[in-house]
Each structure stands twice: as C-alpha cells, then as structure tokens.
Amino acid sequence: MLLEVDRVTSGYGDTPILHDISIRVEQDEIVTVIGPNGSGKSTLLKTIFGLIRPAGGTIRFGSIDLTNMGSHRIAKTGVGYVPQLENVFPSLTVIDNLQMGAYNRKGAGGNELVKEVSDIFPVIEVKRNEKAGNLSGGERQMLAIARALVGKPQILLLDEPTASLAPNLVGEILDKLHDIRTMGTSILLVEQNAQKSLQISDRAYVLVMGKKVLEGTANEVLGNEEIGQLYLGKRGKTKRGKTKKG
Ligand SMILES: Nc1ncnc2c1ncn2[C@@H]1O[C@H](COP(=O)(O)OP(=O)(O)OP(=O)(O)O)[C@@H](O)[C@H]1O
Ligand SMILES: [Mg+2]
C-alpha cells in the first residue's frame, strides 16, 4: 500500500469536518475523491499533507507515519501537493516557479527542469520566460502540476486541477494524469468534474458532509444510480453553467 488514511477525523479548531475517513492509494493507481461543495475534499488533502493535524486516526505513506508530521517534512518523503488555489507564484516566471518546486534537488538547472516536464506539458517550454501571472487558467494549472512534478513525488495530491476551466481543457488536463502515472507517480485526485475524473481513474470514493458514503472501482461509482443522480449529471451541469467562468 502506498498511501493509507485510516479512520481519520479532522477539522478546523473544534469543528470536525472529516469523520472517520479511510481511503487508500496503491502504487500506480489514480484514485479520485468526488463530493459536493464543502464535503471536505480539500480538508482531506490538507490533512494528508500535514497542513491540518488530524484529531484522530493515522496516515501512512509506505512505511512512513505521516500522521503528526509537518508539510515540509512530508514533502521530503515524496508526497507532492497541488492546492486548489494560489498554486503558482504569479510574479515569478515559469522557469522560476519550476525551480521553487525543485528546491530539494540541488543543482538542477532551469533548462533541465523545463525539459523534464515539457513532454507532458509542451506549453511550459513555450512560455518558459513568461510570468506565471500572465498565463491562462489552463496553463497555470499545468504549471502548478509541473512545479509539483519536478519535486519527483511518488504520489501527487491534486486538488481540483480543472476547477473553472473550459470543458475542452478539463479533458486535456485530466488525460495528462495517465502520462504522469506512466512516469511512476501515483495520484490522489479531488474533483468537482465527477464524470470526467471517474473516467480516467482506477478507483473512487464519494465524500458527503465529511463522511465516506461510497467507494469502489471508478466504473462501479460511475454506474451507481443514486450517485449518478446526485453528483454526476445534475450537480456537474448546474455548477459548471451557473457559477464558473471559462
Ligand atoms: N480554514 C477553515 N476554517 C474553518 N472552516 C473551514 C476552513 N476551510 C474550510 N472550512 C469548512 O470545512 C468544510 C469543508 O470544506 P472543504 O474546503 O474541505 O470542502 P471541499 O469539498 O473542498 O469543497 P469545494 O468543492 O467547494 O472545494 C466547509 O464547511 C468549509 O466551510
Ligand atoms: Mg475544495
């Protein structure tokens, strides 16, 4: 088992958000957590990455106990994290953003880093000297993922990488996750684009109000009638159409 979250309870101050959550990611898996707004998806990733200390339960990464470790040390164990918001430095160039992500790799030059990620995200090469703040929304998400990748993580925690992107870009970004997996990085993805993320995933969990209500292969979750009505068709469309810009 690569990552194991075992009966974790977590929240902010005295307010519990996650209740008794158990999830796992095996080597070479892409696992998705879907759930409505406010269900605790970001809280889950923050807890795994040590930004929030769990009130109960354990988190293991291979043989390493992450439960009470801070983010800085967790990053060094081989866990990469791309937050939902503010995941690049807008005033820095693309290359400099990559170098920030590779701070643990002494001597890796900017050109080398650009080369490493350009196979997956060719736009990184094209925009290498552009300020990150001048990139489009999709390009910025690609940079944020690339920045995590140059840290050479064994597992990548991705918080809604397609939020507020145009539908054609959603597929483009999610399809890249297969290339990333092929390079040896397993993925725990949190998504609002439930249908598309399930299509590229191996297994999935459904979180509602901080509780795990369903788990299974991605196909099982896709085929679940109740989940289909609640989170796939109806919710996906209204959220996209009403609240998000392209
Ligand atoms: N810093 C915080 N302090 C207090 N409560 C918070 C904080 N961040 C989030 N919450 C609350 O925790 C709950 C879960 O939030 P979280 O961001 O984990 O949900 P989410 O599933 O990621 O939602 P979304 O799909 O909108 O990103 C919400 O009720 C939210 O209001
Ligand atoms: Mg979130």
Side-chain angles (χ1 to χ4, degrees), residues 49-242:
F49 198 62
L51 295 165
I52 303 171
R53 192 160 289 205
T58 55
I59 302 168
R60 294 196 157 273
F61 177 52
S63 60
I64 308 169
D65 186 353
L66 302 185
T67 315
N68 290 305
M69 223 186 251
S71 311
H72 201 72
R73 279 179 65 208
I74 291 176
K76 286 185 182 159
T77 66
V79 179
Y81 170 57
V82 182
Q84 185 168 357
L85 299 168
E86 294 169 10
N87 51 24
V88 297
F89 296 97
S91 62
L92 297 183
T93 62
V94 166
I95 289 199
D96 288 346
N97 266 278
L98 291 182
Q99 291 213 287
M100 299 288 287
Y103 69 95
N104 58 344
R105 294 170 58 195
K106 271 195 196 135
N111 290 335
E112 185 185 338
L113 300 177
V114 168
K115 216 176 205 172
E116 272 177 27
V117 293
S118 293
D119 278 349
I120 295 183
F121 300 118
V123 72
I124 298 284
E125 169 97 65
V126 179
K127 302 269 169 113
R128 53 193 290 154
N129 294 316
E130 193 69 60
K131 286 223 170 100
N134 293 339
L135 300 178
S136 70
E139 290 166 349
R140 214 156 42 226
Q141 283 300 341
M142 293 181 202
L143 174 59
I145 297 170
R147 192 165 74 89
L149 285 179
V150 295
K152 303 258 186 203
Q154 257 181 284
I155 187 166
L156 197 54
L157 313 176
L158 286 177
D159 196 344
E160 299 208 23
T162 72
S164 60
L165 296 185
N168 60 325
L169 272 173
V170 171
E172 190 181 329
I173 293 211
L174 290 179
D175 286 343
K176 301 288 186 188
L177 303 189
H178 279 209
D179 299 335
I180 292 170
R181 182 245 301 270
T182 304
M183 288 169 60
T185 301
S186 310
I187 295 171
L188 178 60
L189 170 71
V190 152
E191 261 294 345
Q192 55 169 314
N193 288 302
Q195 186 120 30
K196 279 191 173 136
S197 60
L198 288 172
Q199 281 164 359
I200 57 97
S201 297
D202 301 306
R203 288 189 305 107
Y205 297 90
V206 182
L207 210 58
V208 178
M209 291 175 74
K211 296 202 172 106
K212 183 172 77 176
V213 299
L214 185 70
E215 66 179 287
T217 65
N219 278 335
E220 283 164 357
V221 175
L222 264 172
N224 182 291
E225 216 167 279
E226 204 179 335
I227 295 299
Q229 278 174 8
L230 284 172
Y231 305 112
L232 299 178
K234 209 169 84 188
R235 179 185 168 271
K237 274 178 198 145
T238 50
K239 185 168 185 190
R240 208 23 342 104
K242 279 187 185 161

Side-chain angles (χ1 to χ4, degrees), residues 13-61:
D14 289 336
T15 315
I17 302 291
L18 299 178
H19 305 275
D20 211 25
I21 295 295
S22 297
I23 67 165
R24 66 187 160 85
V25 180
E26 307 281 353
Q27 180 70 45
D28 294 327
E29 270 193 322
I30 300 178
V31 173
T32 299
V33 176
I34 59 169
N37 285 120
S39 57
K41 303 183 299 296
S42 295
T43 304
L44 173 65
L45 295 193
K46 286 180 198 166
T47 305
I48 295 170
F49 198 62
L51 295 165
I52 303 171
R53 192 160 289 205
T58 55
I59 302 168
R60 294 196 157 273
F61 177 52

